[in-house]
Amino acid sequence: MGYGRTFGLWYLKWDGRDFRSLMKYHGDTTMSTVQEKLREVGIDSLVILDTGWGIEGKSMIYTGNPREDAYTLSEFLSENVTMPYYVGIPYYKYRSDTPRGPDYWKRWVEVFMRSSDYNLRGFYWNYECPMMFEANAVGASWETVISELANRIHEADFEFIWIPYVRTTSEDDIKSLRVFNSGKSYNHHAAYYFDWVFLQPNYYQGNLLPANSDTLKKWKMYVDDAKKNLRNYKGIDNIYYEFECDGAVLTNPVYRQRACDYVQVLGKPPRRAYYYDVRVEALEYLKGVCDYV
């Protein structure tokens, strides 16, 4: 399908009765206003997330019935989202680090794929672990689970994307990640099954040390080497980067520089994903300061 160039994360909250968007622009949480401002900044596709880690805690209360849960969210998105979007497949159970399981995920996807909403362009795998194929999933190998989900999604002409974290500057560690490498217990590297993969260095959050641009340059060099000659199921080089900022860029020069380092080091690849907490004005500000988006 090939829609979208710049992906922005969008967090929702649901108390079991009503949905509420956590995204805002200078305090305005009106979904139409926030989407308009994102377009103005340069975001053209959304990634709808069912949990906001660190953003008002885990933020969705599902019934546990995948058909009901997916239908309720699908109806809300159809009525309120006017941009192309990719919906997160709920990996975690509410208030638990336990995964739901393959049957839940498959039924969830099937309900969404029956939607007539033109803005639905695909799905996001909401489990960020780069070692995804290392252990067994619930009742099946991870590769089996991901390949079956990917097949269903692609056969219906939707896209499948992933944003795993890669928080190391060790060349050996990066090359050994399942994002890039296949192993004895699985046939493909994890990125193989996705249309687009955006790696999180978490540089902005200080998880690459020392937190300076030289560290980020080293990270990029090792990542570029690890993904050299890798192709996904379509034969495409599909591995890109996530860019990060939050409201601290408005007041803190240290975080402002870290955010600007992303563009200075990573450049502007043709596809990019952006994390900006819930404040669109942070992206707007950096657009003017360091041509961030």
Side-chain angles (χ1 to χ4, degrees), residues 50-51 53 58 62 88-94 96-102 104-105 108 124-129 132 135-138 142 145-146 149:
D50 70 330
T51 57
W53 292 96
K58 302 235 182 135
Y62 288 116
I89 302 170
Y91 173 75
Y92 295 102
K93 293 181 178 178
Y94 177 66
S96 169
D97 291 333
T98 305
R100 285 191 165 87
Y104 184 99
W105 303 323
W108 168 279
Y124 165 65
W125 180 237
N126 197 13
Y127 181 41
E128 299 179 352
C129 179
M132 185 166 54
N136 286 336
V138 180
W142 272 121
V145 171
I146 295 301
L149 282 173

Side-chain angles (χ1 to χ4, degrees), residues 24 29 39 69 77 101 129 140 142 174 180 188 217 228 249 278:
K24 55 189 175 183
T29 59
R39 289 190 192 96
D69 294 342
L77 296 176
C129 179
W142 272 121
I174 287 176
F180 306 103
H188 296 285
K217 289 176 184 176
K228 190 182 299 180
V249 301
V278 298

